[in-house]
Amino acid sequence: GTLTVDGDVVALDATGFRDHSRGPRKFEARSGHTLLSGRFPSGLFVGMFEPRALDGTPKFSQGFTVRDGVPYDAQVLRVPTYQRDDVPEAWTVVLRDDQGQELVVEGRPIDSVPMSIQAPNDLIQGLSGIADEHHCLLSPSWLTCNGEDGTGHLELSRYNGG
């Protein structure tokens, strides 16, 4: 594709990131969320997004895979949740793809960027400790999916319950 800035056109040949940006985010109604995006040398891409209600049950849970450039829906079977204000431990996401195959994505975080999220949409670097906010960890990770090594991004949040 191309990117045009002030009339200058730049050719692009790169991968993209499918996230969950669809309108306003209302974090005050959630207990937290899990987001994953990952890619592998074979051309497989995986991802999922799951926000949870205040009681911890998923309000929405959707996964996807991309094979040969074609996106497919995937069922989310297992996700990690926010457990501590630090780099997450090793984690596992399990998806069932459109062909019925279980994809076991194991992650080993490289590091984490902590953030505080306050309603309506304020993002603050670092963890502020204010009760009525969400803590969020953005963690680039090494991935393994059914024996293939890749890279990705895990995002976890938790509502502190103000």
Side-chain angles (χ1 to χ4, degrees), residues 34 36-38 40 44-50 61-66 72-80 91-106 145-146:
T34 302
L36 166 68
S37 184
F40 299 88
L44 173 68
F45 292 80
V46 298
M48 55 75 52
F49 178 52
E50 181 180 280
S61 189
Q62 181 64 50
F64 71 90
T65 63
V66 177
Y72 300 92
D73 287 337
Q75 181 182 7
V76 177
L77 302 178
R78 178 176 160 198
V79 301
W91 50 267
T92 301
V93 168
V94 181
L95 304 173
R96 179 172 293 123
D97 71 10
D98 61 299
Q99 299 174 342
Q101 178 184 3
E102 283 195 7
L103 301 175
V104 178
V105 182
E106 297 170 307
C145 180
N146 296 5

